[in-house]
Amino acid sequence: PVSKITLEYMSPTVLTFIRFFIGGSIIFLISRKIIYGKKELINSLLNVALVILLLNIGIALTLNPAFASVMIYTQPVFVVLIEIIYYKRKVGLNEIFGMITAFIGVLIVVGSISFDLGSLIALLAGFIWAIGTIYHNTNFKNADLIALHSFMSLISALIVSLFIPFDYYFAEKYEGIAYAILLTLIAQVFGYLSWFYSIKEIGPIRSGIFSLLVPVAAYLFSYLILGLHASFFTILGSSMVLIGIFLLFIKRK
């Protein structure tokens, strides 16, 4: 919901650039080191630049930003599908049931009036994030995540800046700048640092399960901040998506 408010003052590309540049600079000051290279550049493009840019575009175009959050969190479903199709990995009944449950949930919401172009773009972001997750797990299993992310954020700011001339809008108002900085501190700095530390302390699987609280909280705060009411079918479909993803995480553990 904070992204939705901020996008009233600036375009998605401008907001994404601010988030990456300021957030990456703060994280670099915290880590005091940086990891860079060709693989890091590809990792940045897949896991940060494209994902967050598409998410912001999706939030700008959708009526309910919470559902865009649900769509991007279909990422674990796409990860399993890619592993099945490309890596020929065998899956258990729990994973099959989880994917079917999540897919039916998406269909339920698609059948309701809440699915729109913004939700579709967020779904595309989830697919790209899945590709990036597999790439990250293949190349950066034991990397210093904070140092790596400082590079990923800063180089993503440079990548996104190339798109600003095609999508430039910036209202020079203090409240818009304040919202952009608030979003950066909440999501790009505190959110990511908390995520990295949680992976270190309790592992990626448990962290992944707790990350499902993101779309749940998005619905809650969209109601509290924006006064948006979700329809019965949106809640039902979204719940099925999250339950399906939860089953995938449980199987991984």
Side-chain angles (χ1 to χ4, degrees):
V2 176
S3 296
K4 187 72 172 176
I5 295 172
T6 311
L7 288 167
E8 295 177 5
Y9 298 91
M10 60 194 72
S11 65
T13 51
V14 173
L15 173 59
T16 307
F17 172 80
I18 293 173
R19 174 174 167 172
F20 287 158
F21 181 73
I22 297 178
S25 299
I26 294 174
I27 293 174
F28 174 70
L29 291 175
I30 294 172
S31 66
R32 296 297 179 92
K33 56 182 177 180
I34 199 166
I35 301 175
Y36 61 91
K38 182 179 179 181
K39 289 183 178 180
E40 287 79 2
L41 175 61
I42 297 172
N43 198 43
S44 305
L45 184 66
L46 292 174
N47 282 300
V48 181
L50 289 178
V51 172
I52 301 300
L53 179 58
L54 288 173
L55 176 61
N56 282 336
I57 294 173
I59 291 174
L61 296 177
T62 190
L63 295 175
N64 193 330
F67 185 60
S69 179
V70 173
M71 286 297 95
I72 197 171
Y73 270 84
T74 56
Q75 170 253 15
V77 178
F78 288 122
V79 168
V80 174
L81 286 174
I82 292 171
E83 288 178 342
I84 293 172
I85 297 171
Y86 188 77
Y87 294 101
K88 310 299 181 183
R89 184 173 73 82
K90 294 182 179 179
V91 294
L93 290 176
N94 279 10
E95 287 180 296
I96 294 174
F97 184 69
M99 285 190 292
I100 292 174
T101 303
F103 182 69
I104 292 174
V106 172
L107 288 180
I108 289 174
V109 184
V110 168
S112 70
I113 59 172
S114 33
F115 195 85
D116 49 27
L117 179 60
S119 302
L120 184 62
I121 292 174
L123 187 64
L124 175 61
F127 175 72
I128 294 175
W129 187 15
I131 297 173
T133 298
I134 293 173
Y135 186 85
H136 178 90
N137 290 340
T138 303
N139 296 282
F140 301 100
K141 263 186 177 177
N142 301 311
D144 183 333
L145 293 179
I146 299 179
L148 175 62
H149 190 68
S150 63
F151 169 77
M152 290 170 66
S153 295
L154 291 172
I155 197 66
S156 293
L158 179 60
I159 294 170
V160 170
S161 68
L162 300 176
F163 296 94
I164 290 179
F166 304 100
D167 179 42
Y168 180 78
Y169 170 68
F170 183 75
E172 297 180 4
K173 295 184 178 180
Y174 290 117
E175 56 264 38
I177 297 173
Y179 277 124
I181 294 175
L182 175 64
L183 177 65
T184 299
L185 295 177
I186 292 174
Q188 199 68 23
V189 179
F190 180 74
Y192 273 106
L193 290 178
S194 299
W195 170 250
F196 295 148
Y197 282 121
S198 73
I199 290 175
K200 181 180 178 181
E201 293 297 324
I202 65 176
I205 302 301
R206 289 181 180 177
S207 299
I209 292 173
F210 281 109
S211 73
L212 296 181
L213 291 174
V214 173
V216 175
Y219 272 116
L220 174 62
F221 287 116
S222 291
Y223 170 72
L224 295 176
I225 296 173
L226 301 176
L228 294 175
H229 297 266
S231 68
F232 170 77
F233 286 106
T234 300
I235 294 295
L236 175 63
S238 298
S239 299
M240 291 185 68
V241 171
L242 297 180
I243 290 171
I245 296 170
F246 177 77
L247 291 173
L248 294 178
F249 278 123
I250 288 296
K251 180 60 180 178
R252 287 299 179 89
K253 187 174 186 303

